[in-house]
Amino acid sequence: MNSQTSQTQAGVDRSHGRSFAEKLTFASGHFLLVLLSAWLTFFNGLSHIGALFGKSWAMADPIRAKLIFAAIALYFLRHMITLFVLLKRKIVWSEALGLLAYFAFFELGILLLGGGAFRNHSIPLNWLDILAGILIVIGSFINSFSELQRHWWKQDPSHKGKLYTEGLFHYAMHINYFGDVVLFTGWVLLTHNPWTLLLPISIALQFIYFHIPGLDSYLADHYGDAFDEYAKKTKKLFPFIY
């Protein structure tokens, strides 16, 4: 990059750097969220909180809560690999703390909503939950494996400074983002609440109108004609569609 401006796109610092303190804070905060989720799921945490206010709060759907916790745990493990192995760019404090707050909102929110904190009955498992599980697995695979493919490719010294367009990135320029949309769609389907579909929709819109334009601007500046050629023949987010 030729300037500091070109390194910051869509509110993200794209320059390379360790940012160890920021990443460690981010990871520690996320781990605390996992512990809190485990307490709520397996140790009647909600009832203990309710007792402080003289309320009888409980998870009415403990099996569904456990399924959602499994999704939270899987996401955390993938997040650690991404944060400390795959992610080469800097993480600034505003991004670390902002994303941590966002994680707390959707992880705890989906757990409480799907686990039955706001209803007095459980929902029997059915075909929608099977579909949700399939989407979580597929979305997680697409996101993490695409990133791993790129990571392995860049380990070859002969690829230094070159744009990666192979593997799953052959099907969409931001196939890792597509994996997130699929993953979160499955995640919210576990709640059986149609309003939660607003989460993956909002995530997709953020990718389309904020993150992708910013990242594309950075990549165009960094890779020039190679990126322009890649962009001409490759969909942006949804394979074969957009």
Side-chain angles (χ1 to χ4, degrees), residues 12-201:
V12 174
D13 189 341
R14 306 268 176 203
S15 58
H16 285 200
R18 293 187 63 193
S19 306
F20 184 74
E22 293 88 342
K23 289 182 178 181
L24 184 60
T25 300
F26 191 12
S28 299
H30 197 183
F31 181 63
L32 290 176
L33 287 176
V34 174
L35 291 181
L36 178 56
S37 298
W39 182 62
L40 292 170
T41 302
F42 299 101
F43 300 99
N44 299 316
L46 196 59
S47 64
H48 295 308
I49 297 174
L52 297 176
F53 300 95
K55 303 292 184 180
S56 298
W57 294 344
M59 289 287 203
D61 206 335
I63 294 178
R64 191 169 301 281
K66 289 181 175 65
L67 291 175
I68 294 173
F69 175 78
I72 292 173
L74 175 62
Y75 189 67
F76 171 75
L77 292 174
R78 291 178 47 247
H79 175 221
M80 292 302 98
I81 294 172
T82 298
L83 196 60
F84 292 109
V85 178
L86 302 177
L87 192 65
K88 305 302 181 183
R89 66 172 179 80
K90 290 182 179 179
I91 296 287
V92 297
W93 283 111
S94 59
E95 181 183 6
L97 298 178
L99 278 177
L100 195 56
Y102 189 56
F103 281 15
F105 169 74
F106 75 74
E107 289 186 352
L108 296 178
I110 291 175
L111 176 63
L112 292 172
L113 189 62
F118 306 107
R119 47 186 162 83
N120 57 12
H121 65 280
S122 63
I123 301 173
L125 299 179
N126 57 31
W127 66 269
L128 189 60
D129 300 297
I130 296 174
L131 174 61
I134 292 172
L135 291 178
I136 289 172
V137 171
I138 290 176
S140 298
F141 173 80
I142 291 174
N143 181 278
S144 291
F145 189 64
S146 64
E147 295 275 13
L148 282 169
Q149 286 181 308
R150 179 167 58 187
H151 175 74
W152 294 329
W153 186 84
K154 285 185 174 290
Q155 296 304 298
D156 187 337
S158 67
H159 296 153
K160 184 176 177 59
K162 295 182 180 179
L163 177 66
Y164 178 68
T165 63
E166 301 175 11
L168 293 178
F169 281 94
H170 171 76
Y171 300 99
M173 295 166 60
H174 306 282
I175 193 71
N176 51 337
Y177 291 169
F178 172 69
D180 273 342
V181 175
V182 174
L183 159 68
F184 284 107
T185 300
W187 203 335
V188 301
L189 286 179
L190 286 174
T191 68
H192 282 241
N193 186 317
W195 288 105
T196 60
L197 287 171
L198 291 175
L199 176 62
I201 291 173

